[in-house]
Amino acid sequence: MSASIDYNKYEAVIGLEVHAQLQTESKLFSSDSAAFGGLPNTHISPVTLGHPGTLPFLNGKAVELAIRLGFACHCEIEKENFFARKNYFYPDLPKGYQISQHTAPICIGGYVPIFTDGKGRNVQLNRIHLEEDAGKSMHDQDPDNTMVDYNRAGVPLVEIVTEPDIRNADEAYAYLTELRRLVRWLEVCDGNMEEGSMRCDANISIRLKGETRLGTKVEVKNMNSIRNVKRAIENEIKRQIELTEQGGQIVQETRSFDASNGSSFPLRSKEEANDYRYFPEPDLAPFRLTTEYLDGIKAALPELPEEKVTRYTSQLGLREYDARVIADDKPTAEYFEALSAATPHLQAAANWMLGPVKSWLNENNAEISGFPVKPAALAELIGIIADGKVNFSIASSRILPAMIAEPGKGPLAIANALNLIQDTDAGNIMPVIDEVLAKYPAKVAEFRSGKKGLIGLFVGEVMKLSGGKADPKLTNELLMKRLNG
């Protein structure tokens, strides 16, 4: 049946809800540790468990981190704030309610820029709000009972909710990638989906192209990587289109994604809206954010990735692709900042970052923080290439590995010790050229009959015979003179 379906006549409407665990030392309303892991039920206290007589108190750092993210996402920041109780019973919710800002978010509106198919656009946000996390139910620890770990209960979260503004799985992938980069850049959240510190639920519906009315939405949960979010959305769009084409009816429900086979299965129906009986949290006073407080947070924001890309291309003259790759990761951008401050050869610096440095990191499964060569030393290596003392090939294949092996040793000292300083004396290079041309008389004849591409062969042979020391530019010039002689 699916082979005859015209999938292209439909469009998807997708909204994402992302919970990001804030990087605070303590929980949102208690001094209990917010650290990941630990033995079950060791990061708890009577406050976390909601014992009678205990009172919550607000973690100011969590508020600051939420505002940082809100500014970075171009949100309007609400100055008058309060928390509400969201009432529902579940075993991993110790108080029987969750303290949340769901009805009155601290950050309103905003957007996150994305790039897909070489084009950029903004994914519109509905809100970002603060709330506490629930605990964790574990069904595989005991054959007869569900075990509950409350370590995670009360950990501070922001929930970032988009408008139904995403149209396909690729856009969702780009949005989540950019959002994770942003929370890591701002040090708001570590973005680790495998550990659950960043979790995503997708609300998906379909409609005929040109239709304006929204279709029946299905929520898909339990996706532990950005790649699996993309797979789950693709699967759900296909499922809904095929069900519609076969005369079936899409039911509003929550489904769970099974990453092992790429399919989903229903968890529960959502035909009726849940009544969470929201009311203002009586144990927490409303809090007001002053203009001075907000201005201080805004002034302390680091330069954001998109701002770096703009500066790298407009002020430093980098190619846009290079600028985006460098600005993709904050430690990499910081290394490049230090490198570009130490050398005037900025595009060369970018080429080194995206070439030899990145290759070494990939081969050694390392982060830039583990790269042994400091920016100042790499700048010195770039400088001796620019001065004609060594060529790039020798620098990347011989000198850089030696600098990695002995990080305290400078590139010029290494080049001298290994006898790699480039020979710019035509009197030394001409005999080597004559030897190479004598070795390939047939190729010389071919070159003179029009096969000019053979110049690369001759240059390569001269470089080999000279041990890589012959100046390539001078070698090329001398070869052309001799061959055209």
Side-chain angles (χ1 to χ4, degrees):
M1 174 71 181
S2 62
S4 61
I5 294 174
D6 181 8
Y7 292 89
N8 290 325
K9 71 180 183 180
Y10 293 91
E11 73 171 1
V13 179
I14 303 160
L16 298 181
E17 299 171 6
V18 174
H19 285 90
Q21 180 178 319
L22 299 175
Q23 286 189 286
T24 59
E25 293 184 10
S26 56
K27 294 184 179 179
L28 188 53
F29 302 114
S30 78
S31 58
D32 298 337
S33 172
F36 175 78
L39 293 172
N41 298 308
T42 55
H43 298 169
I44 59 172
S45 69
V47 179
T48 289
L49 297 177
H51 286 189
T54 60
L55 290 173
F57 49 93
L58 180 58
N59 185 332
K61 183 66 176 178
V63 174
E64 178 190 330
L65 293 178
I67 295 168
R68 280 167 68 87
L69 182 59
F71 276 134
C73 292
H74 316 279
C75 302
E76 177 188 342
I77 309 299
E78 175 58 59
K79 289 185 176 180
E80 305 291 340
N81 287 267
F82 67 92
F83 284 95
R85 287 188 181 181
K86 180 181 179 182
N87 294 273
Y88 64 98
F89 177 77
Y90 208 69
D92 59 15
L93 197 67
K95 298 190 289 283
Y97 58 86
Q98 178 190 37
I99 303 177
S100 172
Q101 277 194 313
H102 184 276
T103 54
I106 192 170
C107 306
I108 304 164
Y111 62 86
V112 172
I114 64 168
F115 286 83
T116 54
D117 298 325
K119 298 176 183 176
R121 78 172 189 89
N122 298 326
V123 172
Q124 300 300 316
L125 300 183
N126 176 279
R127 67 182 185 272
I128 300 173
H129 67 262
L130 280 159
E131 64 185 21
E132 61 179 342
D133 208 347
K136 185 178 182 181
S137 296
M138 295 177 287
H139 310 293
D140 56 355
Q141 305 292 310
D142 185 282
D144 303 312
N145 299 289
T146 291
M147 315 294 279
V148 182
D149 178 10
Y150 289 123
N151 279 351
R152 201 172 68 186
V155 164
L157 302 174
V158 282
E159 183 174 359
I160 305 122
V161 183
T162 75
E163 297 288 0
D165 192 36
I166 296 170
R167 292 293 174 266
N168 55 57
D170 288 333
E171 286 191 350
Y173 186 95
Y175 167 79
L176 288 173
T177 300
E178 181 61 26
L179 184 63
R180 182 168 64 179
R181 176 172 72 157
L182 201 54
V183 297
R184 286 175 169 172
W185 194 282
L186 296 166
E187 298 178 0
V188 164
C189 171
D190 65 18
N192 192 329
M193 293 188 74
E194 291 75 16
E195 291 181 358
S197 56
M198 183 170 156
R199 309 192 292 275
C200 177
D201 299 333
N203 293 296
I204 306 159
S205 65
I206 61 164
R207 64 188 179 191
L208 291 170
K209 286 181 179 176
E211 179 66 70
T212 55
R213 188 175 58 180
L214 295 173
T216 302
K217 73 176 180 181
V218 173
E219 183 179 32
V220 181
K221 289 180 171 287
N222 299 334
M223 299 166 288
N224 64 354
S225 71
I226 295 178
R227 177 175 173 271
N228 281 335
V229 173
K230 182 175 184 289
R231 291 173 65 209
I233 290 172
E234 288 171 340
N235 169 265
E236 181 59 23
I237 293 170
K238 183 172 182 288
R239 186 189 73 84
Q240 289 189 24
I241 291 174
E242 290 176 357
L243 183 61
T244 301
E245 287 288 307
Q246 291 164 7
Q249 185 174 4
I250 298 167
V251 178
Q252 186 171 339
E253 62 183 350
T254 299
R255 299 177 71 87
S256 178
F257 180 66
D258 185 344
S260 65
N261 59 24
S263 67
S264 65
F265 55 90
L267 286 175
R268 56 185 178 271
S269 169
K270 293 189 87 170
E271 289 182 359
E272 296 180 7
N274 291 305
D275 180 10
Y276 292 117
R277 295 180 295 114
Y278 285 104
F279 62 86
E281 169 56 66
D283 293 333
L284 284 167
F287 63 97
R288 184 176 188 281
L289 305 173
T290 66
T291 301
E292 293 75 19
Y293 175 72
L294 294 177
D295 287 346
I297 293 174
K298 194 169 190 177
L301 284 176
E303 187 179 34
L304 297 176
E306 281 306 308
E307 294 169 343
K308 281 196 182 295
V309 170
T310 300
R311 179 166 63 84
Y312 289 168
T313 53
S314 64
Q315 295 181 24
L316 304 189
L318 297 193
R319 295 183 289 263
E320 184 171 350
Y321 173 82
D322 297 351
R324 290 199 174 281
V325 174
I326 291 169
D328 189 56
D329 171 69
K330 191 176 184 181
T332 301
E334 288 172 343
Y335 187 101
F336 177 75
E337 296 283 346
L339 177 60
S340 61
T343 177
H345 309 290
L346 302 178
Q347 187 60 58
N351 294 343
W352 274 90
M353 292 286 297
L354 302 182
V357 175
K358 191 173 184 181
S359 294
W360 186 90
L361 296 176
N362 290 339
E363 288 165 9
N364 292 273
N365 196 27
E367 302 292 331
I368 191 70
S369 57
F371 187 56
V373 179
K374 300 301 179 191
L378 185 57
E380 188 182 341
L381 179 58
I382 293 169
I384 66 173
I385 297 170
D387 291 341
K389 292 185 171 68
V390 295
N391 61 59
F392 174 81
S393 176
I394 289 295
S396 59
S397 64
R398 300 283 302 279
I399 300 175
L400 183 64
M403 292 172 70
I404 291 169
E406 296 182 79
K409 210 165 181 182
L412 189 55
I414 290 171
N416 280 314
L418 297 178
N419 195 26
L420 297 175
I421 296 297
Q422 203 159 253
D423 192 346
T424 57
D425 187 336
N428 294 332
I429 298 173
M430 273 317 298
V432 182
I433 288 175
D434 289 338
E435 186 177 343
V436 168
L437 297 183
K439 184 179 176 183
Y440 294 101
K443 297 295 183 186
V444 170
E446 288 179 33
F447 177 90
R448 287 174 172 161
S449 67
K451 291 191 175 179
K452 302 302 181 184
L454 287 169
I455 190 69
L457 167 70
F458 301 134
V459 172
E461 289 298 312
V462 171
M463 297 304 292
K464 271 189 209 173
L465 274 178
S466 68
K469 293 177 64 179
D471 181 335
K473 185 178 178 183
L474 180 58
T475 297
N476 199 299
E477 291 173 2
L478 294 173
L479 269 165
M480 291 301 287
K481 281 183 183 178
R482 183 67 92 213
L483 288 164
N484 292 325

